[in-house]
Amino acid sequence: MKRYDPAAIEPKWQKAWEQSKIYQASDDKAKPKKYVLEYFPYPSGAAMHVGHVRNYAIGDVISRIYRMKGFNVLHPMGWDAFGLPAENYAIKHNISPRVAIDQNTSRFKQQLIQMGFGYDWSREIDSSDPDYYRWTQWFFLMLFNKGLAYQKESLQWWCPLDKTVLANEQVENGKCWRCGNEVEKKALKQWFFKITDYVDRLLADLDELDWSNAVKTMQRNWIGKSKGNRVSFRVDGSDETIEVFTTAIDTIYGTTFMVLAPEHELVKKITTEEHHANVNSYIHEAQSKSEIERQDEAKEKTGTFTGAHAINPANGQKIPIWIADYVLAGYGTGAIMAVPGEDLRDYEFANKYELPIVYTTETQEFINYQTEIKPKPDSYKLANSQEFNGLSFKQGRQEIIAKLEKENTAVSEIQFKMRDWLISRQRYWGAPIPIIHCQKDGPVAVPVDQLPVLLPEIDSYEPSGEGRSPLANDPDFVNTTCPKCGGPATRETDTMDGFACSSWYFLRFTDPDNSQAPFSEDKVKFWLPVDDYIGGAEHAVMHLLYARFWTKVMYDEGLINFEEPFTTLRNQGMILAPDGEKMSKSKGNTIEPDILIDQGYGADSIRLMELFIGPWNQASAWSTTGVSGTYRFLNRIWTLVQEYLESSEVEAVEPDIEQAINLAINKTIKKVSKDLDALSFNTAISALMELTNDLYKLKQQDKFKSKSAWTGAINSLVQLLAPFAPHISEELWSELGHKDTVHLSKWPTYDETYLKTDEVTIVIQVNGKLRASLSMPPGSNEEEVKATAMQQPKVEALVTDKQIRKVIYIQDKLINIVV
Ligand code: ANZ
């Protein structure tokens, strides 16, 4: 008998699939479409490990099932080649980014092919290819012309190691998302995309998405919508007013001082002579602190008095104005009314500087507004609040707002935490920002017919650290003429954040070779939105937010007819190293699939293992012995099919064997189909293992003497295996005599009539009296049986409107409902 030899089978079929182009999607509108996509990788490392493989394996299985179910499937792959990860890799290995990308992508591609993933490689894209980034630049200009791309000088996150600015989303706990180094603040003129114009829609449309709650919550928190009030405080003895943003206007009678951010524009104006020196030195000190440090709850509060006072608009009281770094310049109005009786930070500050505390709750003690009063405004009563004393916070709030609004000292306001997306990078490896700076005309868009602005090849592409991109040192690139006035002008030398490239790549896959437009509207209309998007949750407030924003801009521009790019998002669980740690090259605990393939297991065993190891959306530790398990399982199927093939019809089948074969296979088709609909890959694989065991047992009895009785089951088994283990199933399918590929064969269906024999009779009692009986699959759980039992007319009549006191269930035999 032929031996199962993955090393011989797998490359053979990979080549055959490439030649027969079975994974190429056509724009055939006769069939329903499915667009299955995994995040396109940035080829920053030399190889992928089994952790990455899981992500692609999930997408691959889903796309294969859709294909077998008759859908027109688009399952493409490409390279997120521009940006920090790729450039840093190149610098570390002292090769040019172009060479690094080409090496890494070809290695990565070979690995993907070797794993048997069914990608449509005719649509491969590379975001660092001028034919691609020309359109990224085109989108930049679209944003620029709509006023959604602008330049502004302000304090920005600066990574001293990567020597570039970063977007807020790319700073995690005060560290650079890419290299993990602590970031600093630097004043620089930068380009921004005005994502804040879309904040309401980005928030509201989240509700409609079939995404994990974890990712939706991360986006909601990042957007950070706060409903509150803007209140004006007059500065005593001056014409100035200070505006504050508060979400606790009901505590206004407890305001005993005000605090401005050190950077607030009024600080210099209102500070009295005597306090100038202190205030200036405090401002200086605050500049050296990171925002994270400033917001740290545990940190001791610091501040200094300005010498000025303000008037509380609620009660006319004169209160001191301080500055302190726990108030941030970039949020709300950069000033607060301090309520030490109910706000913890203000409380600590007041205690430290011996400022008065007025409690506005009846118990006259500190009660935290955010955690206690806000969620239960009915349960607390106002005190020290003049005419509002005795009212609940809930009612008091309405009345206080009405009073202040009438007096024109307060208006309602909504604030968002999210800021505009900083997209310029002082780095070489990105799409040049297509802007020309002219002395006379200011920043001018490069005319569309002059795109792409090519990234020149330069000798020294390492970041200089002076806050300028290395492109600034290339006079041939920099010096140009103004498209408006024809006068001498200079090119923008910053490049775009790599996340700009990935904000539209999913559209380009529908039309990758288009040289007239970023995509054909017709093709995008057919293929988009992406039906299943698969990737890790780490992009929650980066890529996934940016791509939603670009999609909405394109929708407004009339380029596309949908507002959300990814209908469903599936976040796969991580594969951990066998020691339970996160796999990473620096820890030296990564496992590369190539090694397992070289050991003879083959890609199919690895693929099965990736999904059998645990629920697809939960983390699981890799186990090499697990791969030998899935390998043994595939060997069993192999042997079974070989024995079947070698047998010949000798006698007619025994009726009970035939029945048992039909039951086993139909039951499994039903179970696997249902599990795959729910993405329950691991249970689908166990069902296939069970089926294999059942068939082995039956074979012991029949010895394949009645070969024809087995044909249907053997063929269906191979088909059910195909999405998981595409090579072995293709080999067996062809040995079974099929001319066409198993991967375009029709997904097997089951016949209910064979399943009937697989049911048990359950007796239904109500209050111990026999009332009816039920036919159910064995092993049904109490809930299922109870629900079905209650629907029986005789039972229903007895239990409706009654309280069920107890349910007694004896598995597969009896249910007694006590009312
Ligand atoms: C008075 C007050 C009393 C407040 C109270 C809270 C509780 P969120 O939900 O995050 O929007 N705040 C406003 N601007 C700020 C800034 N630039 N830096 C630091 N803190 C600022 O929180 C809004 C609350 O955060 C506001 O409501 C304000 O303090 C503070 F018992 O006003 B509150």
Side-chain angles (χ1 to χ4, degrees), residues 232-272:
S232 309
F233 286 66
R234 211 160 42 72
V235 178
D236 190 36
S238 120
D239 293 339
E240 303 290 349
T241 53
I242 297 173
E243 310 255 290
V244 303
F245 173 70
T246 177
T247 50
I249 196 167
D250 31 1
T251 65
I252 192 164
Y253 287 90
T255 307
T256 55
F257 58 102
M258 292 190 84
V259 186
L260 307 189
E263 301 85 354
H264 196 286
E265 54 169 15
L266 282 180
V267 173
K268 297 241 159 83
K269 271 194 198 156
I270 60 170
T271 301
T272 59

Side-chain angles (χ1 to χ4, degrees), residues 496-650:
M496 269 187 259
D497 182 3
F499 283 98
C501 309
S502 55
S503 290
W504 73 283
Y505 79 104
F506 44 93
L507 299 165
R508 185 70 177 174
F509 276 132
T510 63
D511 198 11
D513 300 319
N514 196 329
S515 59
Q516 304 304 309
F519 48 75
S520 121
E521 289 179 26
D522 204 39
K523 289 183 179 176
V524 161
K525 200 170 179 177
F526 174 61
W527 285 112
L528 270 285
V530 174
D531 296 282
D532 286 282
Y533 199 29
I534 300 128
E538 70 277 8
H539 283 302
V541 294
M542 293 196 271
H543 165 60
L544 291 169
L545 192 62
Y546 299 147
R548 294 183 63 220
F549 162 57
W550 275 43
T551 302
K552 290 180 190 304
V553 176
M554 288 185 221
Y555 173 83
D556 290 351
E557 195 65 12
L559 289 176
I560 55 179
N561 65 340
F562 54 94
E563 284 202 65
E564 286 291 337
F566 315 121
T567 313
T568 61
L569 173 71
R570 305 289 176 215
N571 306 121
Q572 88 276 7
M574 232 189 286
I575 297 272
L576 306 170
D579 57 5
E581 292 283 313
K582 201 175 153 177
M583 269 192 203
S584 81
K585 233 185 263 147
S586 59
K587 289 202 192 106
N589 61 1
T590 59
I591 294 171
E592 286 171 22
D594 317 50
I595 294 167
L596 297 166
I597 290 176
D598 289 346
Q599 286 171 356
Y601 289 118
D604 283 344
S605 300
I606 302 171
R607 294 171 55 114
L608 267 175
M609 180 58 189
E610 297 276 351
L611 298 174
F612 183 58
I613 192 168
W616 67 280
N617 53 359
Q618 284 171 31
S620 313
W622 187 257
S623 122
T624 307
T625 53
V627 183
S628 50
T630 50
Y631 176 70
R632 264 199 314 277
F633 164 58
L634 290 179
N635 259 301
R636 270 167 76 72
I637 293 188
W638 176 271
T639 308
L640 187 74
V641 178
Q642 296 305 326
E643 285 180 16
Y644 161 83
L645 286 166
E646 285 167 13
S647 69
S648 44
E649 187 97 11
V650 177

